[in-house]
Structure formats: structure tokens, C-alpha cells
Amino acid sequence: MNEAMKCLLERKSTKSYTDQQVPGELLDQVLEAGLYAPTGRNNQNVICVAVRDKKTRDRLSLLNAEILGVNSDPFYGAPCVIVVFADSAGTTWVEDGSLVLGNMMNAAQSLGLGSCWVHRARQMFETPDGKDLMKQWGLSETMKGIGNCILGYPDQLPAAKPRKEGRIIKID
């Protein structure tokens, strides 16, 4: 099996991390993989905000937890969060941002990192605190949160779950 297929078949959502930070060179590779995701009409209107600063990371976690209605860390202790935004003025903004997230999670797997897509990015950045962060980061109001890609070194390797049967229909 080639390496690309191996990464695709072995990637799992990681929900337990060590506190070891993602090195800059690995983060850069994950981000670059996101930039090469396909976008509608090749518009490339997706922006990734990579956060390794603990104070900002914890602020994002708190925003997400408030929306979820929990007191726990929805980022599972991951030390790095990449927030993916897409320009809602486009027609394929949700799809474009989703493909970027998928590319980054697969790249993380290939580099020995754990990752997980954490929802509620759109709601996070509709709050006053979220809008304040967007302004600090220089993002326009047409940018909408698609998802949070958390990254780090797995504390435990996730167990593989069997694939459900009957999800492929072939018409020859």
C-alpha cells in the first residue's frame, strides 16, 4: 500500500494529547497542505489562523466550551489550534474550508501528529469576543469560521472502529 493510502486509512480523530507543542516546521507543513486543498473555481478564499500561544488557545477553548455548554476543554488538551475561515461571499465557502481541514488532518497523520476537527467555529466567531479576535487578526466580516483543527502529539493512539457496511454503491 502506498504511503498516501496508508495515511488516509489509518488517520483517526485524536482526543487525548501530550502537552508537547507542535514544532514550527511541522505546523508549516500542515498549513501548506491546507493551502493545496481544492477550492471552487480555484478561488483560494480560505484563511487559516494557527494558534500556539497558550493564552489565545485557552481563550478559543473557552469560547467553544461556552457554546457547547460544558466546563471541559473541547480541544482535548491539544496545544495547537488552527481555525479555518472562508469568505462567505463565495458560493462554495463551506465546502472549500472543509476540504482545507481534511487536507490538514491527513497531513498531520503523515507527520506523526494527532488531529481532530472540532465544530462550532462559526458560532465562536459570531460572539463579541470572537469578532474582537477576528478584528485583531485582520479578518473581514465576510469571513466565517468553518472548523477548528486541533493538533498535537497523541497521548493515546485512537482505536480503529470498523467501517459500516453498505455505504458504497457501484454502477458499472
Side-chain angles (χ1 to χ4, degrees):
M1 178 181 318
N2 75 36
E3 285 302 309
M5 284 300 295
K6 187 175 184 326
C7 284
L8 290 171
L9 298 180
E10 291 180 357
R11 195 205 75 74
K12 307 290 179 278
S13 292
T14 301
K15 296 183 178 173
S16 179
Y17 295 85
T18 69
D19 59 1
Q20 181 181 355
Q21 186 54 264
V22 175
E25 60 273 7
L26 295 184
L27 177 58
D28 288 345
Q29 290 179 60
V30 169
L31 290 165
E32 184 174 23
L35 294 180
Y36 279 84
T39 58
R41 296 184 180 174
N42 197 28
N43 66 34
Q44 300 182 40
N45 285 335
V46 176
I47 294 176
C48 300
V49 178
V51 177
R52 292 190 300 168
D53 170 68
K54 182 165 176 31
K55 183 178 175 183
T56 307
R57 178 256 182 245
D58 290 348
R59 184 176 174 186
L60 293 173
S61 174
L62 182 60
L63 267 174
N64 197 292
E66 287 173 354
I67 292 161
L68 185 57
V70 299
N71 292 323
S72 58
D73 176 14
F75 297 154
Y76 304 103
C80 180
V81 179
I82 303 170
V83 185
V84 175
F85 293 89
D87 191 342
S88 63
T91 57
T92 58
W93 61 281
V94 173
E95 295 84 353
D96 295 344
S98 298
L99 286 167
V100 167
L101 280 151
N103 265 25
M104 290 192 304
M105 290 185 293
N106 289 322
Q109 172 70 25
S110 77
L111 297 168
L113 297 171
S115 68
C116 185
W117 178 331
V118 177
H119 289 293
R120 295 168 297 281
R122 189 170 318 150
Q123 297 91 326
M124 288 168 62
F125 294 95
E126 290 172 344
T127 68
D129 194 25
K131 288 179 181 181
D132 181 54
L133 284 168
M134 287 179 65
K135 187 178 283 187
Q136 289 177 37
W137 298 336
L139 299 177
S140 78
E141 292 183 14
T142 62
M143 298 304 284
K144 302 292 181 195
I146 301 295
N148 303 285
C149 178
I150 59 172
L151 294 176
Y153 289 96
D155 187 29
Q156 305 169 10
L157 292 177
K161 293 182 180 177
R163 302 293 97 181
K164 292 180 183 178
E165 295 292 326
R167 294 176 39 216
I168 297 174
I169 298 172
K170 293 181 180 179
I171 312 296
D172 291 328

